[in-house]
Amino acid sequence: MLALWGRVSVEPAIVLRVENLRTWFPVKTGLFKPVSYVKAVDGVSFSIHRGEALAIVGESGCGKTTLGRTTLRVLEPISGKIYFHEKEITHSREEELKEFRRKTAMIFQDPYSSLNPAFNVYRILEEPLIINGIRKKEERTELIYKALEEVKLNPVELFASKYPHMLSGGQRQRVAIARALILKPEYVVADEPVSMLDASVRAEILYLLNELKNRHQIAFMYITHDLATAKYLCKRTAIMYAGKIVEVGPTKEIISNPRHPYTKALIEALPDPDPSNRFRRIKVVPGEPPNLLNPPPGCRFSPRCPYAKDICREREPELEEGPPGHYTACFLKDEI
Amino acid sequence: MMKKILVTEDLVLYYRTSRGPVRAVDHVNLWVEDGSSLAVVGESGCGKSSMAYAILRILPRNVHSYSGKIIFDGVNLMDLTDEEMRSKIRWRKISMVFQGAMNTLNPVIKVGDQIIEPLLIHAGYKKEEALREAREAVKNVGLPEYVLDRYPHELSGGMKQRAVIAMALLMKPRLVILDEPTSALDVLTQANIMNLLKDLKERERLSYIFITHDLALASELADYVAVMYAGKIAEIGSAETIYKNPRHPYTQKLIGSVPTLRSEKVLEFIPGAPPDLVNPPEGCRFHLRCPFAKDICKRREPPLIKVDNDHVACWLYGGE
């Protein structure tokens, strides 16, 4: 009891929590046919604490971006619940979301298209300040310069006057980060923030994100297809497949001891730079991810899974805890 | 010593722009040993794709200069006419899988009719004969025959990529240039394609030039690695040397910047950005970002010199 009490007292507050979230997109297949749904996010639950980064890792089309957007209420879920600081915002109207909008932000994948080319950096960073009613020009300028300093774009006056086309990819992404963080958000979703960047600047941006997350104790969702970069930013990782979280736990645990067959296949397929790789054959699972209009019954990975048994095709596995904090949705997790 | 199937000497490809010539490929010397694969790695804009276009002479209109030697199987391709390049070299001897090629398939033409196009155009096959060949070719890359009768939107990304690879191998080329062949694919599909490329290399005794920005992926295929920086070769050597004992400071930093899954390391990064290729710095093009830059690095361009069995363009290893 004492131990438990001790653990609760050091645990930072939960900033964002979602329960059984479902975001489906309606599709009309014909004039008189019933509407069917693309089940992009289908029953996802997790929480993110203050100062914590959670990685959402999965392949394209697994629903990870939809999940990120739903938690920011850019999309409205069809069922489930979203709590921000324990206040439910699942279906709140836009007027009620004003404060939520100010306290959340998003960093996009492509810094070449997420910055307005007709605005200089000063104007790009000023936009959220104007929208959120910071009237005094001096105050805005001060905040802008401070934000540029935080993302290490020095000298700040020089960078404030530049236009996006005058900046390199890494510098643009710094501007995008400055814009996301300028209002001191408490929850930030970063959707593949380094995947468009060259290898030599990628690490720099990862370190910057980590530093800012720690300094401002931001709850952070890092969406990526690359488990290797997740390791450098996130203590905890959730693996998504076909709209569901199939495994979640400490990132290092997941990498060294994956328990879901999909996670195992994913890790096997990711090469480390090693010249002996050319002599190996990668063990790959056959097939493609399912169509989310009509996912297979039972476990969604079962049609591709080398271990699948009858139960996998009949019933959907739930996330269950194995090693402490490490949850896996697989009937065979203890056997394989 | 193995035979070299391709050697470039002082290969140059500059593009004309309103700001002046862009030195995309600037006196590049590299070689591919017969039956082996050379990975060409570098960051975006370093000239690696331009180098491939220069080898195949697929040039845009705004070429400023195009010179040097490209010796393929004893013949200098620069001496051939455009017509000879088209009818004798491209597809027949050297073929290419372009970046994002699977998305360049024509959506309103059946996959089979697109795959056989090189046979009809370059080899004068009749359609039935060509389709017979195509059936073999798609089987060879692990696709069922029925894909020939399908339209591109009916196939998945991985299947389209396999179809494009089948097309590149249709005329039994000796050398295949792969320009980011898996860049639009998922991790698992990418692994499948890498396995296929390994099989084909062995089965058909192919040589590859594998162009990629992904050093981890390059190691899946590379016997040799050429590292390009700002239009030049910084270092070229065996995969073992480049990954385990890189010599050029740029290669060292680049290898250090790759996140690894299975081992712990502190990631490195290179402050600054690659130079503008209209106006590259004097001396070594990396000297502005190089922690070891000496006086000579700022003044004179380092030549590609031999160190043990590898080659490096860096004043730290002599060469004066």
Side-chain angles (χ1 to χ4, degrees):
Chain A
M1 189 62 210
L2 245 178
L4 182 70
W5 191 79
R7 201 174 122 193
V8 170
S9 72
V10 293
E11 194 118 295
I14 290 174
V15 176
L16 186 101
R17 182 158 66 90
V18 302
E19 267 173 24
N20 215 5
L21 202 64
R22 291 197 154 80
T23 309
W24 295 4
F25 297 106
V27 195
K28 273 202 178 139
T29 47
L31 191 55
F32 298 107
K33 286 184 185 151
V35 176
S36 38
Y37 292 92
V38 174
K39 302 171 184 78
V41 173
D42 202 15
V44 168
S45 308
F46 63 85
S47 52
I48 306 181
H49 296 256
R50 208 165 162 254
E52 184 197 29
L54 172 70
I56 305 284
V57 177
E59 300 182 84
S60 53
C62 75
K64 56 190 193 295
T65 296
T66 305
L67 175 63
R69 286 169 174 256
T70 309
T71 64
L72 285 177
R73 270 301 313 278
V74 179
L75 296 168
E76 196 171 335
I78 199 158
S79 72
K81 293 203 160 49
I82 310 170
Y83 298 93
F84 183 68
H85 288 301
E86 293 309 317
K87 180 174 173 265
E88 197 189 329
I89 52 146
T90 320
H91 302 289
S92 302
R93 279 169 298 131
E94 201 51 49
E95 309 89 83
E96 300 164 344
L97 284 175
K98 266 197 156 158
E99 197 196 329
F100 174 73
R101 295 262 178 262
R102 196 171 57 237
K103 289 186 173 169
T104 57
M106 184 153 183
I107 299 165
F108 299 92
Q109 174 175 17
D110 183 359
Y112 291 83
S113 60
S114 69
L115 302 177
N116 188 335
F119 283 1
N120 64 15
V121 170
Y122 185 93
R123 187 72 185 77
I124 289 169
L125 297 180
E126 194 180 25
E127 186 93 343
L129 301 178
I130 293 174
I131 290 171
N132 282 287
I134 297 173
R135 295 238 176 79
K136 279 202 210 115
K137 178 94 181 161
E138 306 82 65
E139 196 180 337
R140 292 202 298 265
T141 306
E142 198 191 313
L143 283 169
I144 289 165
Y145 286 172
K146 224 163 127 191
L148 285 173
E149 211 154 279
E150 281 218 294
V151 297
K152 304 194 173 83
L153 285 175
N154 284 313
V156 291
E157 285 91 350
L158 176 72
F159 277 101
S161 67
K162 289 197 178 196
Y163 285 84
H165 74 269
M166 300 154 95
L167 305 175
S168 70
Q171 290 169 340
R172 282 178 217 216
Q173 201 57 303
R174 284 163 193 272
V175 174
I177 293 168
R179 177 179 60 185
L181 301 188
I182 199 161
L183 285 159
K184 304 258 172 290
E186 291 167 29
Y187 172 56
V188 173
V189 174
D191 191 355
E192 302 266 19
V194 297
S195 68
M196 299 274 290
L197 303 177
D198 273 322
S200 69
V201 293
R202 191 172 291 169
E204 206 177 356
I205 298 292
L206 282 176
Y207 286 137
L208 177 69
L209 286 172
N210 195 39
E211 186 188 320
L212 294 172
K213 178 207 83 179
N214 290 338
R215 188 183 308 152
H216 300 295
Q217 286 295 296
I218 299 166
F220 207 86
M221 180 193 275
Y222 176 66
I223 298 173
T224 183
H225 67 283
D226 186 359
L227 196 51
T229 58
K231 195 179 88 173
Y232 286 88
L233 195 58
C234 305
K235 286 222 173 70
R236 207 151 58 92
T237 289
I239 308 282
M240 247 183 119
Y241 183 76
K244 287 187 166 291
I245 290 178
V246 295
E247 185 156 14
V248 56
T251 309
K252 280 186 189 152
E253 258 281 310
I254 294 220
I255 292 168
S256 60
N257 179 27
R259 285 161 60 79
H260 196 283
Y262 174 66
T263 317
K264 286 180 198 276
L266 198 63
I267 288 171
E268 164 73 18
L270 279 170
D272 275 339
D274 181 343
S276 65
N277 282 343
R278 67 186 193 270
F279 304 117
R280 70 165 184 163
R281 258 192 80 86
I282 313 165
K283 284 191 243 61
V284 280
V285 293
E288 308 271 338
N291 184 347
L292 294 180
L293 259 176
N294 200 2
C299 169
R300 293 188 179 179
F301 190 60
S302 62
R304 303 173 78 185
C305 181
Y307 312 101
K309 290 185 177 165
D310 287 344
I311 184 172
C312 307
R313 289 179 269 266
E314 287 154 15
R315 281 178 43 208
E316 259 191 66
E318 300 279 327
L319 280 171
E320 281 167 14
E321 192 165 8
H326 186 164
Y327 297 79
T328 309
C330 175
F331 291 115
L332 308 171
K333 58 185 177 294
D334 296 320
E335 297 165 35
I336 54 174
Chain B
M1 186 98 173
M2 266 196 287
K3 205 179 118 214
K4 288 173 180 158
I5 187 165
L6 181 97
V7 182
T8 72
E9 284 172 23
D10 280 325
L11 185 62
V12 166
L13 177 58
Y14 293 175
Y15 300 119
R16 191 160 24 84
T17 67
S18 55
R19 296 169 54 228
V22 174
R23 304 176 190 200
V25 181
D26 204 1
H27 299 276
V28 163
N29 298 302
L30 54 75
W31 50 92
V32 185
E33 312 252 344
D34 199 4
S36 72
S37 40
L38 171 76
V40 178
V41 299
E43 300 178 88
S44 50
C46 74
K48 52 194 194 300
S49 291
S50 291
M51 196 265 309
Y53 296 146
I55 289 172
L56 275 175
R57 207 191 293 177
I58 315 172
L59 305 175
R61 284 194 197 164
N62 62 333
V63 171
H64 174 275
S65 38
Y66 176 53
S67 64
K69 279 187 186 165
I70 304 165
I71 295 156
F72 177 79
D73 218 4
V75 179
N76 183 4
L77 300 185
M78 286 293 195
D79 295 338
L80 302 183
T81 62
D82 286 351
E83 178 54 29
E84 284 171 320
M85 270 306 280
R86 189 188 72 82
S87 62
K88 295 198 174 130
I89 301 296
R90 267 182 238 135
W91 294 105
R92 273 177 189 275
K93 297 278 199 244
I94 309 176
S95 67
M96 182 157 172
V97 175
F98 293 88
Q99 183 166 17
M102 58 178 206
N103 298 323
T104 62
L105 288 171
N106 189 326
V108 296
I109 300 176
K110 283 181 186 165
V111 171
D113 292 344
Q114 298 188 58
I115 287 183
I116 61 172
E117 219 166 68
L119 286 177
L120 303 180
I121 294 171
H122 292 268
Y125 273 57
K126 296 231 169 52
K127 194 170 173 184
E128 292 74 50
E129 292 173 308
L131 278 172
R132 210 175 309 132
E133 292 278 320
R135 270 196 286 279
E136 284 304 308
V138 292
K139 262 191 262 169
N140 199 18
V141 297
L143 286 175
E145 272 179 37
Y146 66 76
V147 300
L148 294 173
D149 289 318
R150 298 287 161 90
Y151 289 94
H153 77 268
E154 297 176 280
L155 307 184
S156 69
M159 288 169 97
K160 279 190 271 186
Q161 195 62 28
R162 279 170 192 261
V164 171
I165 291 170
M167 193 169 162
L169 299 184
L170 200 55
M171 302 193 68
K172 309 258 176 260
R174 303 271 309 282
L175 174 67
V176 183
I177 302 176
L178 307 159
D179 189 0
E180 305 271 10
T182 61
S183 63
L185 301 175
D186 276 332
V187 181
L188 296 188
T189 317
Q190 170 177 291
N192 261 314
I193 298 285
M194 293 319 282
N195 276 345
L196 171 70
L197 291 171
K198 285 179 197 179
D199 289 350
L200 288 170
K201 180 180 167 230
E202 214 159 289
R203 214 185 314 147
E204 318 261 320
R205 296 200 41 74
L206 294 171
S207 308
Y208 288 139
I209 295 180
F210 177 30
I211 297 171
T212 181
H213 67 284
D214 185 339
L215 277 148
L217 190 66
S219 75
E220 289 282 359
L221 215 50
D223 298 307
Y224 298 89
V225 181
V227 181
M228 267 186 100
Y229 183 76
K232 292 195 160 284
I233 301 285
E235 182 167 7
I236 178 166
S238 70
E240 278 72 20
T241 306
I242 300 289
Y243 286 103
K244 303 274 191 208
N245 295 304
R247 292 194 173 89
H248 198 287
Y250 176 63
T251 318
Q252 292 171 356
K253 289 274 180 191
L254 199 62
I255 300 274
S257 74
V258 182
T260 53
L261 209 53
R262 294 160 187 85
S263 56
E264 295 296 319
K265 69 170 188 189
V266 177
L267 290 189
E268 291 191 65
F269 55 84
I270 312 176
D276 179 8
L277 293 183
V278 174
N279 234 330
E282 240 181 281
C284 172
R285 295 199 175 167
F286 188 60
H287 84 258
L288 292 170
R289 302 170 81 188
C290 181
F292 310 109
K294 300 187 289 185
D295 204 36
I296 188 168
C297 308
K298 293 168 197 156
R299 286 184 286 108
R300 283 178 53 202
E301 234 176 73
L304 195 64
I305 56 161
K306 192 166 179 195
V307 181
D308 297 335
N309 282 317
D310 311 294
H311 291 73
V312 62
C314 177
W315 289 120
L316 296 177
Y317 301 91
E320 266 178 276

